[in-house]
Amino acid sequence: MSHNFIIAETHLDHIESHGYAIIEHAIDEQLMTELIADCYRINPHLSLAGIGRLNNQQIDSSIRKDKTYWFDGSSQAQLSYLAVMQSIKTTLNRCFFLGLFDYECHYAKYTLGDFYKKHVDAFKGRSNRVFTSVLYLNSPEQGGELVIYKPKSKDIAVSIKPTAGTLVLFESERFVHEVLPAVDERYSITGWFRKNASISGIIDPPR
Ligand code: OGA
Ligand code: MN
């Protein structure tokens, strides 16, 4: 199956004008089914998520309480999803001249009471994260909303109820956001399109 993913013009316009887009039914049913099955297979291997990158990963459950598993390419579902993200990366580069070169992502699971407090995904000059992607794998009835704040403001730009197949894209450095406490189990894939850069001459490796 081919995974050429075309972002509709309206979504590209919204990214240009607002810095984010919410794309419903972004991923076809077949791949959604495979990803959910893969996520259940991975379930026993999910572990408490860290904050920071590389050796600076710290577990701080006052900030986030979800469990994650970084893609390791161990299933066709993961490879197919990565192919879709490659295709999105190409589109973003063509439209916005971003020079994105890499993509990393993990499964995330939130259960009752799990949250991720207000944060930004990128710190200037550190992680090289340019665009964040979140794909929801299920549709919890209650809780777990993603709240994105307006840049440099305490006002809410948008509050998103996780829905299976919905893909959210936003500029990583620009938006403070949070995941409100989950009520029902919530499964997603969060990822980052990254730009090449080096710190002290060392190319920043993934994770
Ligand atoms: C993250 C994050 C949002 C979501 O993992 O950094 O902000 O809706 N996730 O899961
Ligand atoms: Mn985030």
Side-chain angles (χ1 to χ4, degrees), residues 61-180:
S61 46
S62 67
I63 295 177
R64 71 184 293 190
K65 288 197 68 178
D66 57 325
K67 290 186 170 168
T68 61
Y69 186 92
W70 287 93
F71 273 34
D72 55 10
S74 65
S75 66
Q76 186 53 49
Q78 290 180 27
L79 297 175
S80 300
Y81 188 68
L82 291 172
V84 172
M85 292 299 124
Q86 286 302 322
S87 153
I88 290 182
K89 187 185 80 179
T90 304
T91 305
L92 292 173
N93 278 338
R94 278 202 195 122
C95 293
F96 306 115
F97 308 102
L98 291 172
L100 305 173
F101 88 115
D102 170 19
Y103 179 79
E104 59 185 7
C105 66
H106 60 58
Y107 287 115
K109 176 188 183 182
Y110 291 73
T111 53
L112 180 65
D114 291 351
F115 54 79
Y116 195 159
K117 294 247 171 87
K118 276 187 176 185
H119 67 282
V120 279
D121 287 344
F123 301 95
K124 283 193 169 58
R126 288 304 302 275
S127 70
N128 313 321
R129 289 170 170 177
V130 178
F131 254 89
T132 302
S133 67
V134 189
L135 173 72
Y136 297 107
L137 295 178
N138 73 335
S139 309
E141 273 183 31
Q142 270 194 76
E145 292 85 356
L146 168 62
V147 179
I148 298 179
Y149 293 86
K150 289 182 183 166
K152 300 184 184 109
S153 161
K154 286 189 173 153
D155 296 344
I156 294 172
V158 63
S159 174
I160 299 152
K161 183 180 160 68
T163 304
T166 295
L167 178 70
V168 182
L169 297 171
F170 61 88
E171 288 176 39
S172 306
E173 281 186 358
R174 196 164 156 201
F175 294 99
V176 173
H177 56 282
E178 71 179 317
V179 177
L180 300 185

Side-chain angles (χ1 to χ4, degrees), residues 31-87:
L31 180 51
M32 282 300 294
T33 305
E34 289 175 24
L35 287 167
I36 291 157
D38 192 49
C39 189
Y40 284 148
R41 175 182 72 88
I42 293 293
N43 208 357
H45 307 289
L46 289 159
S47 57
L48 279 177
I51 303 160
R53 302 185 79 238
L54 299 167
N55 299 326
N56 297 322
Q57 289 268 346
Q58 289 148 11
I59 308 282
D60 184 343
S61 46
S62 67
I63 295 177
R64 71 184 293 190
K65 288 197 68 178
D66 57 325
K67 290 186 170 168
T68 61
Y69 186 92
W70 287 93
F71 273 34
D72 55 10
S74 65
S75 66
Q76 186 53 49
Q78 290 180 27
L79 297 175
S80 300
Y81 188 68
L82 291 172
V84 172
M85 292 299 124
Q86 286 302 322
S87 153

